[in-house]
Each structure stands twice: as C-alpha cells, then as structure tokens.
Amino acid sequence: GENVEQHPSTLSVQEGDSAVIKCTYSDSASNYFPWYKQELGKRPQLIIDIRSNVGEKKDQRIAVTLNKTAKHFSLHITETQPEDSAVYFCAASTNAGKSTFGDGTTLTVKP
Amino acid sequence: AAGVIQSPRHLIKEKRETATLKCYPIPRHDTVYWYQQGPGQDPQFLISFYEKMQSDKGSIPDRFSAQQFSDYHSELNMSSLELGDSALYFCASSYALRYREYGYTFGSGTRLTVV
C-alpha cells in the first residue's frame, strides 16, 4: 500500500521567514496531493492541493511543488505570520479514493 | 504503540438501512474526528468531539449522528442509507492540549458500501 512520509515533524521559524515541509510517497499511482492545516481543537482545513499533471501551484504565500519522478512534494510558506502556526498534513491519493496522510508537521511561527 | 482502531473495516448495507461505525482513539487522546472520503475525492470533515462534547461540525447530513462516550470511543450512526453514502470513513484522534507534541492519528478507515 501507499506510504507517505512527512518531514520535519516540528518546525520553528521567525515571523517573516519561509517554511518548507516535505513529503515523499511510495505508490506511483497516486495522483492527487492535498495539504491540510489544522489549528488547535479544529478540523484540518484543505489549504492547497496539486495534481500529478502539474509541477507547481501557488496561492498567495503558499506554494506546493511536485516531483513525480522522485515521488516527493513540498509545501512552501513565505513571509510566515504567527497565525500560520498550526499542524500541517500532506496526503497522497489515487483515483481509487484511498488517501494516505503524512504524520503531520507542527509549525510554530515566533513573533 | 496502540493506534486508532476503527470497526468494522468493511461494511455492506442496503439502501435505507442503518449503519454504525465505531472508533477507539489512542489511549489518553481526548479528541475524535470523523471524515468521509468518496472515490477519488479528498476527505471531508464530518464532526469532531472534544472531551465527549461536540467541538466542530462539518458537512454531516442530518441522517447522520455521532457521539463520544465516557470511555472516549466514538460512534457514527448513519440512517436511511443512500447509494451516495458509499465511501471510506476515517476516524482520527488527538490529545488536544498537547497536539503540538503528538499531532493526531488517523484510523485505517471503514469502507462502507451501500447497495
């Protein structure tokens, strides 16, 4: 089955710096890669996603890149703000509907 | 280490029947989340419970209800099942006060097929 690894498990940055979270997956059939943000006590929220026919996608301060050959994808957050502090999850999914999540990265943005 | 346990792993029901899905969180986790994932779709948040009280609610149909019991396990009850309810249902648990250390963990899911 699919295996998704996410690194780092914790990340601390100063406000205004950039943050990068990386994930690798094992199943070459995976073709949809969402990222979720979860704040304390709240449900995870989809923040950006990318499909296998696209190499990069950007939405304001958030960008995601995908390298299908290497089977890895990354989340980039620029100009971080304290409200970006949360747990971020990556996931890999196939058309069969099975979705495997990474273990999560706890991002702390220090003012 | 113990993980989030969901039962059953697979469930086949006929239309208009009722289904009950169970979730046993990791010991000492106080928050449970339910997700629904249709074929080729991302997980959709249904509902969450913190310390046995509903803490957040998403796109959960009125035909569905859920609760968290005194032992922290949770059940998702689904009535008047429709073909469109066929999906993979995930449960996840976390220790809310220390999520920064432990994050949260998903169960393996229950695959519900309505025929």
Side-chain angles (χ1 to χ4, degrees):
Chain A
E2 175 67 284
N3 182 48
V4 176
E5 295 188 359
Q6 183 172 345
H7 300 281
S9 56
T10 60
L11 179 61
S12 182
V13 299
Q14 289 294 137
E15 182 177 5
D17 286 350
S18 296
V20 180
I21 302 170
K22 298 181 179 181
C23 288
T24 60
Y25 63 99
S26 60
D27 189 350
S28 57
S30 291
N31 55 12
Y32 175 65
F33 306 92
W35 286 88
Y36 295 87
K37 173 185 178 183
Q38 184 185 27
E39 297 175 273
L40 182 60
K42 299 294 185 180
R43 62 186 175 179
Q45 299 275 3
L46 178 68
I47 56 173
I48 195 168
D49 56 16
I50 191 168
R51 298 187 184 273
S52 60
N53 58 343
V54 177
E56 184 174 356
K57 183 177 179 180
K58 188 174 182 179
D59 182 4
Q60 299 182 334
R61 297 186 297 108
I62 296 174
V64 58
T65 59
L66 171 64
N67 184 326
K68 282 196 66 182
T69 302
K71 294 194 183 74
H72 68 70
F73 55 113
S74 301
L75 177 71
H76 304 252
I77 305 175
T78 59
E79 301 172 21
T80 54
Q81 302 168 3
E83 50 265 38
D84 294 329
S85 295
V87 179
Y88 291 81
F89 291 87
C90 66
S93 179
T94 67
N95 286 332
K98 294 175 60 177
S99 186
T100 303
F101 293 82
D103 290 336
T105 296
T106 300
L107 173 65
T108 302
V109 180
K110 300 177 181 179
Chain B
V4 177
I5 307 298
Q6 288 188 245
S7 66
R9 291 295 302 274
H10 302 275
L11 189 59
I12 299 176
K13 290 285 186 177
E14 296 187 353
K15 287 192 300 183
R16 293 180 289 277
E17 284 193 321
T18 298
T20 298
L21 279 54
K22 297 184 178 182
C23 171
Y24 297 85
I26 291 174
R28 294 185 296 282
H29 278 196
D30 50 22
T31 307
V32 168
Y33 307 81
W34 285 98
Y35 288 84
Q36 177 193 58
Q37 184 180 32
Q41 299 180 359
D42 55 314
Q44 297 295 313
F45 173 75
L46 294 177
I47 196 167
S48 63
F49 293 88
Y50 169 65
E51 284 292 346
K52 293 157 280 186
M53 297 290 290
Q54 182 180 311
S55 57
D56 199 357
K57 190 174 182 179
S59 52
I60 183 170
D62 292 340
R63 300 178 289 108
F64 293 7
S65 64
Q67 58 182 322
Q68 187 178 28
F69 295 85
S70 59
D71 64 351
Y72 292 94
H73 94 272
S74 179
E75 294 184 3
L76 177 66
N77 296 293
M78 310 158 68
S79 62
S80 303
L81 287 170
E82 302 173 356
L83 295 178
D85 295 330
S86 295
L88 188 58
Y89 290 84
F90 284 109
C91 170
S93 74
S94 71
Y95 185 17
L97 293 180
R98 300 184 69 180
Y99 87 108
R100 292 181 185 277
E101 298 178 36
Y102 300 124
Y104 74 104
T105 305
F106 283 94
S108 298
T110 293
R111 186 169 292 282
L112 172 66
T113 303
V114 181
V115 297

